[in-house]
Amino acid sequence: MDNTYYITTPIYYVNDVPHIGHAYTTIACDAAARFMRAEGKEVYFLTGTDEHGQKVEKAAAERGEKPIDLADRVVARFSSLWDKLNISNDRFVRTTEPDHRKAVEAIFRRVKENGDVYLGEYEDWYCTPCETFWTEMQLMDGNCPDCGRATDKLGEPSYFFRMSKYGDRLLKHIEDNPEFIQPVSRRNEIISFVREGLRDLSISRTTFSWGIPVPDDPDHVIYVWFDALTNYLTGVGYPEETENYKKFWPADVHVVGKDILRFHTVYWPTFLMSAGLPLPRKIFAHGWWTVEGRKMSKSLGNVVDPGEMAEEYGVDAIRYFVLREVPFGLDGDFSRESLVHRVNSDLANDIGNLVSRVLAMVGKYRDAVVPTVSGYGEEEVDVELRQALEKALADVRSSMSEPAFHKALIAVWGFISVVNKYVDSTGPWALAKDPDESERLDTVLYNMCEALRAIGLLVFPFMPATGDEIWDRLGLERKAESGRMSELESWGGLAGGLKTRRGEALFPRIELS
Ligand code: MSP
């Protein structure tokens, strides 16, 4: 079995500051990466920034600064946000880095040597005041969609990629590999698009200079998508045959928003086919977030800053909310009301109360020490508890292979609810009153602690700080780290004799102001 797992986020444009949409993709990839590490896989998790192109060049010029200075500033905002959100990426790739340039040049050369690049004329609608080309589709009543002024049909010399040559091969690949594009609705969309036939693609521009020059023709810069998509190769060392390259390419999954699916499932695979490189195994498109029912936009002033949200509600609350609220692949709506509701019901009530009740009872009845037991109980409730964990683990595993984060979390919360019921039905407070029930009390308290250990591990990929905290309170020295998921395959991995700690509420209830 292949024991490696390579997962990527899109690389984010630096002409925007990070918002909840960017955080969503990154948190999702982080949860998948952490889960696969817990499964014992050797994981490589890549994210980064897309720094070239006309928009960045223009934005920098308007501020009177160099594009690289603008990029440096915005990149720092992305990387500090990822630190704050506990993102465990193995590398952060910037398209302005020299090794990325090398990778782009190398793949460009290979595609060219293969006869798939030719010089032609790129024709589109040009807005002179904005210095921007627009496609027919982008125009608003024939005018520039940015400033509303008239546009002219203009041409510029451009290198083209013979994408048309790869249509049939791509279609066959998509049809032969049902997993390649997920979810299925998106796959069908792409199949219809490819069936229409592919046109050759313009892959260079001469009207701006902020980009990677075309090898041997520096009047041209390489089209941003050709540049950006190559980051997935740069990240593992291409064009060198490094250890990482050999180990991790092709990627297991590129997670992207639905708006950029076509670039990833049509452009990218055809570039790779032309360069003679293996294709990624899966491209998963998630949906878009609106905010309180409206599209997020600077002009509406409703852009959600994930850093601010994390400060207000806690990092794990945000991570949990975005992954649980919306089936992965569908659109969702962000509102404080739904966030607060989720935090209070799923986090403060279900998991928070459980942890605090169990540890309080271990404190009260057993001096905060996990009892040592010779068996785990054979009453119906005991058996059901163990079976519930088996089911949760199986469901989490199958959900994460899609990945369907919401389903995985529903499965974990299914187990949490069984554990809560176990506490209610075994009634340790009653057992504690009867000295003859001392052994039974040991057993049920042990089972509850063992259940908490499992919960700590199961929530860890989604809420790493919470998972670690639960383990810490159980007196477990080692953190919920790589390769440990399999420990949940049999009941009773928790050692007796550990000193536990009740601690503060994991998730205090929030009042909606
Ligand atoms: N730079 C390109 C990607 C190149 S990848 C080789 C790009 N960048 S982006 O910054 O505009 O978007 C990055 C990701 O954020 C995309 O997957 C996009 O779908 C996602 N989101 C941006 N706004 C979003 C929402 N409102 N909701 C959910 N995700 C959204 O595209």
Side-chain angles (χ1 to χ4, degrees):
M1 200 183 92
D2 181 8
N3 204 37
T4 61
Y5 186 77
Y6 180 22
I7 182 168
T8 65
T9 74
I11 49 172
Y12 303 103
Y13 286 133
V14 292
N15 53 346
D16 200 359
V17 292
H19 59 59
I20 195 76
H22 307 128
Y24 182 48
T25 322
T26 311
I27 291 171
C29 289
D30 186 63
R34 287 179 185 272
F35 177 79
M36 292 303 170
R37 287 191 201 107
E39 284 283 48
K41 291 206 183 243
E42 194 176 346
V43 171
Y44 198 75
F45 168 21
L46 184 73
T47 188
T49 40
D50 189 353
E51 304 183 19
H52 290 132
Q54 194 169 13
K55 279 199 185 151
V56 177
E57 190 178 82
K58 255 179 79 180
E62 276 159 19
R63 295 164 159 271
E65 66 182 341
K66 289 201 210 115
I68 191 66
D69 294 334
L70 182 153
D72 285 347
R73 224 165 2 87
V74 181
V75 167
R77 293 193 57 172
F78 275 99
S79 39
S80 64
L81 178 63
W82 302 153
D83 285 347
K84 185 184 253 173
L85 296 181
N86 225 338
I87 303 301
S88 63
N89 56 300
D90 295 286
R91 184 173 167 190
F92 187 107
V93 69
R94 297 184 55 176
T95 55
T96 47
E97 283 166 343
D99 68 338
H100 176 69
R101 179 171 173 155
K102 247 172 74 183
V104 173
E105 287 171 351
I107 185 169
F108 190 96
R109 284 208 156 94
R110 278 184 75 162
V111 170
K112 194 171 163 201
E113 278 157 20
N114 208 4
D116 289 338
V117 175
Y118 63 91
L119 191 60
E121 171 107 344
Y122 172 79
E123 255 204 350
D124 247 329
W125 297 94
Y126 192 68
C127 172
T128 313
C130 292
E131 296 177 52
T132 308
F133 274 103
W134 301 103
T135 61
E136 187 99 32
M137 296 271 288
Q138 288 172 316
L139 296 183
M140 302 270 280
D141 305 323
N143 295 325
C144 170
D146 259 6
C147 71
R149 279 177 279 206
T151 54
D152 304 304
K153 190 135 203 179
L154 269 195
E156 59 166 321
S158 167
Y159 285 97
F160 280 79
F161 167 62
R162 278 187 217 285
M163 197 157 76
S164 56
K165 186 171 140 186
Y166 293 95
D168 291 344
R169 225 175 113 185
L170 178 63
L171 195 58
K172 182 162 182 344
H173 184 83
I174 299 173
E175 283 170 347
D176 290 351
N177 296 277
E179 293 275 287
F180 184 58
I181 303 174
Q182 294 283 319
V184 178
S185 56
R186 302 270 166 226
R187 175 174 182 264
N188 296 337
E189 217 175 275
I190 298 293
I191 290 180
S192 320
F193 177 78
V194 180
R195 279 213 181 114
E196 300 271 295
L198 300 181
R199 291 190 346 185
D200 288 351
L201 181 73
S202 157
I203 51 164
S204 78
R205 294 285 190 277
T206 52
T207 42
F208 62 92
S209 60
W210 179 236
I212 297 176
V214 167
D216 310 322
D217 194 351
D219 288 344
H220 290 249
V221 293
I222 293 177
Y223 171 53
V224 275
W225 277 98
F226 192 98
D227 169 344
L229 288 160
T230 304
N231 91 87
Y232 302 131
L233 286 170
T234 310
V236 287
Y238 178 87
E240 306 317 324
E241 296 263 313
T242 58
E243 274 299 294
N244 272 349
Y245 179 74
K246 285 187 263 179
K247 226 188 258 175
F248 295 111
W249 191 259
D252 289 271
V253 56
H254 295 315
V255 177
V256 301
K258 62 180 184 181
D259 54 317
I260 56 173
L261 184 64
R262 197 180 288 175
F263 298 104
H264 284 80
T265 53
V266 180
Y267 294 13
W268 183 224
T270 55
F271 296 161
L272 290 167
M273 282 174 181
S274 169
L277 296 169
L279 307 193
R281 297 203 169 89
K282 185 187 289 190
I283 293 119
F284 194 107
H286 65 65
W288 265 49
W289 285 92
T290 48
V291 174
E292 320 255 349
R294 305 175 78 176
K295 193 171 182 275
M296 209 176 355
S297 86
K298 273 186 210 153
S299 50
L300 285 176
N302 65 348
V303 176
V304 177
D305 175 343
E308 259 173 36
M309 287 289 145
E311 257 156 46
E312 198 169 338
Y313 300 106
V315 170
D316 281 355
I318 301 298
R319 292 178 59 118
Y320 177 79
F321 175 76
V322 294
L323 297 176
R324 174 63 186 84
E325 187 71 3
V326 178
F328 202 55
L330 300 185
D331 293 337
D333 187 54
F334 190 97
S335 72
R336 278 176 194 261
E337 206 179 320
S338 39
L339 172 69
V340 167
H341 178 73
R342 281 260 168 232
V343 172
N344 286 344
S345 78
D346 301 8
L347 301 182
N349 267 357
D350 298 343
I351 188 173
N353 273 350
L354 175 67
V355 171
S356 123
R357 283 165 99 186
V358 168
L359 295 177
M361 288 187 287
V362 178
K364 188 160 169 197
Y365 306 129
R366 288 294 180 263
D367 278 336
V369 174
V370 177
T372 302
V373 291
S374 53
Y376 309 120
E378 291 310 324
E379 291 184 17
E380 210 179 321
V381 277
D382 305 317
V383 177
E384 277 169 5
L385 180 68
R386 299 196 285 269
Q387 284 170 346
L389 177 59
E390 262 172 46
K391 178 169 178 344
L393 182 62
D395 289 352
V396 167
R397 284 178 160 159
S398 74
S399 307
M400 290 305 278
S401 70
E402 296 188 31
F405 303 99
H406 65 294
K407 282 199 225 159
L409 287 167
I410 289 170
V412 179
W413 259 251
F415 180 60
I416 290 173
S417 130
V418 171
V419 185
N420 263 318
K421 284 192 200 113
Y422 183 83
V423 177
D424 296 338
S425 60
T426 53
W429 44 89
L431 297 173
K433 290 189 187 129
D434 182 351
D436 290 344
E437 294 286 7
S438 173
E439 205 180 318
R440 179 67 188 151
L441 180 59
D442 277 346
T443 306
V444 300
L445 289 175
Y446 175 86
N447 283 340
M448 289 172 198
C449 291
E450 170 66 349
L452 289 193
R453 188 181 76 99
I455 291 167
L457 198 46
L458 289 169
V459 300
F460 178 76
F462 311 93
M463 302 193 287
T466 303
D468 274 350
E469 178 64 15
I470 294 174
W471 273 42
D472 196 64
R473 290 185 187 189
L474 283 170
L476 288 165
E477 270 173 44
R478 303 188 57 183
K479 301 280 171 183
E481 68 214 11
S482 64
R484 306 206 73 145
M485 206 52 87
S486 63
E487 288 178 17
L488 301 186
E489 285 163 10
S490 53
W491 190 263
L494 183 70
L498 292 171
K499 180 85 181 159
T500 67
R501 171 175 65 82
R502 184 176 176 188
E504 305 279 297
L506 277 181
F507 297 97
R509 283 187 71 80
I510 309 170
E511 297 309 325
L512 197 58
S513 50

